[in-house]
Amino acid sequence: MISIATIPVKTYLSKSKISGFDYVINPYVGCPHKCVYCYAEYMRKFSGHAEAWGDFLDVKTCPVPLRPAKLFRTRVMLSSVTDPYNPYEKQYELTRNLLKQLIFCQARVYILTKSALVLRDLDLFTQMQHCEVAFSFSSSDDAFRRLAEPGASSVGEKVHALKTLHEAGIQTAVMVAPLFPEISDWRAILDLTRPYVTRYGFDSLNMRPAYQRKVMAFIGQHFPQFLPLYSDIYLKEKTDYWQALSAQITDYCTQANIPAEIYFGSSRSYSGD
């Protein structure tokens, strides 16, 4: 049972620490998707919650509207440490109400989600001067998704959402992330989504010390044959695997003319248009 609370905040806006964005909006604290690898779990220590990450959700309330002059044509991301379309967004509509304001601000909006609920706001996306919706895929296998991301939309639902957005003229992207070594079939993800996607990003499975043990236990339980490899990568901190994978993805995307950015390996690389 997830614990729901409302918390007052002075503003929904945070100055972005992510390259390419001016501001980030996280309408919620917490995320009920319960992804086993969630990098945002560190936020729990700032929340005051005793519950495990994924078992609580704070709904932010703010009486102050977004300021159009401040946000005029800025680049705004939703979201960095929560999913703006978690299942409770259907009830609370924080993201929808913020998007209505961002239309008036003429902001350039970038959305990252794992939820097909994003389709609800297609009517708002079509009113924006610029809007991009990105989905993250760690696998094309829904059996793996149910294990690693039990609260997220299914692979099929996300592909359908990409297709619907693309056909409506909305820019779309896919983050092939996090890539689980020897488990994530990145080529299969490209095959499933390529007709509906403008660009791709690739990122590795990064493990913060706080949840490294949890992810290693997950691999040991479900994919014990890969434990030696994961030990080499994450305990012995060997980088050969990621460097080789970066080269493979770069070569493949260059030959297929697929716009792609890679955020791991020896250096950040780009291929495609």
Side-chain angles (χ1 to χ4, degrees):
M1 184 74 179
I2 190 166
S3 171
I4 307 289
T6 57
I7 59 169
V9 296
K10 294 180 180 179
T11 179
Y12 285 113
L13 284 179
S14 298
K15 289 288 289 184
S16 177
K17 297 179 181 178
I18 302 171
S19 177
F21 301 100
D22 300 300
Y23 295 98
V24 172
I25 297 177
N26 290 291
Y28 301 90
V29 179
C31 182
H33 289 339
K34 296 181 75 71
C35 302
V36 69
Y37 53 80
C38 184
Y39 66 86
E41 187 171 338
Y42 75 92
M43 291 291 295
R44 177 177 169 271
K45 65 183 179 183
F46 304 115
S47 71
H49 281 273
E51 303 96 326
W53 185 256
D55 288 339
F56 69 88
L57 187 72
D58 288 340
V59 182
K60 294 182 180 179
T61 61
C62 179
V64 182
L66 301 179
R67 293 168 51 193
K70 183 175 183 177
L71 290 174
F72 182 66
R73 294 186 179 174
T74 56
R75 296 164 65 91
V76 181
M77 179 184 182
L78 288 94
S79 300
S80 60
V81 290
T82 189
D83 193 316
Y85 288 98
N86 73 76
Y88 294 90
E89 165 63 16
K90 188 172 183 180
Q91 174 184 350
Y92 291 101
E93 296 193 347
L94 291 190
T95 298
R96 183 169 178 83
N97 290 329
L98 286 161
L99 290 174
K100 290 177 180 178
Q101 296 179 60
L102 290 169
I103 293 172
F104 186 69
C105 297
Q106 297 185 42
R108 298 172 64 85
V109 176
Y110 299 80
I111 294 166
L112 180 60
T113 185
K114 297 179 187 291
S115 174
L117 179 59
V118 71
L119 288 180
R120 179 203 62 188
D121 293 337
L122 181 57
D123 63 317
L124 301 182
F125 303 151
T126 57
Q127 298 177 53
M128 293 180 173
Q129 291 190 343
H130 177 91
C131 177
E132 180 185 84
V133 178
F135 282 89
S136 59
F137 285 76
S138 61
S139 177
S140 61
D141 178 5
D142 209 52
F144 177 82
R145 192 275 311 166
R146 287 193 294 271
L147 290 173
E149 309 165 356
S153 292
S154 71
V155 171
E157 288 170 335
K158 291 192 291 186
V159 172
H160 171 72
L162 281 167
K163 181 176 186 290
T164 303
L165 291 162
H166 174 75
E167 291 177 347
I170 305 302
Q171 288 195 18
T172 55
V174 161
M175 281 297 299
V176 185
L179 282 163
F180 280 74
E182 296 304 304
I183 298 172
S184 300
D185 186 342
W186 55 271
R187 291 182 182 87
I189 295 171
L190 293 181
D191 290 344
L192 272 176
T193 60
R194 182 69 187 109
Y196 321 119
V197 174
T198 307
R199 66 179 185 89
Y200 288 86
F202 295 81
D203 206 354
S204 58
L205 171 64
N206 297 305
M207 289 198 216
R208 293 176 181 265
Y211 61 90
Q212 185 181 85
R213 183 176 298 178
K214 180 173 72 172
V215 178
M216 292 296 284
F218 172 83
I219 297 300
Q221 179 181 357
H222 299 288
F223 304 94
Q225 68 273 31
F226 297 132
L227 262 181
L229 173 64
Y230 279 68
S231 294
D232 281 347
I233 294 172
Y234 295 106
L235 302 182
K236 299 178 183 177
E237 299 183 348
K238 295 183 179 180
T239 61
D240 301 24
Y241 181 88
W242 296 120
Q243 291 174 0
L245 184 59
S246 179
Q248 291 173 24
I249 294 172
T250 298
D251 289 346
Y252 183 92
C253 291
T254 298
Q255 292 178 21
N257 197 31
I258 296 174
E261 291 185 87
I262 300 171
Y263 303 102
F264 60 87
S266 57
S267 62
R268 175 170 168 169
S269 59
Y270 174 85
S271 63
D273 295 335

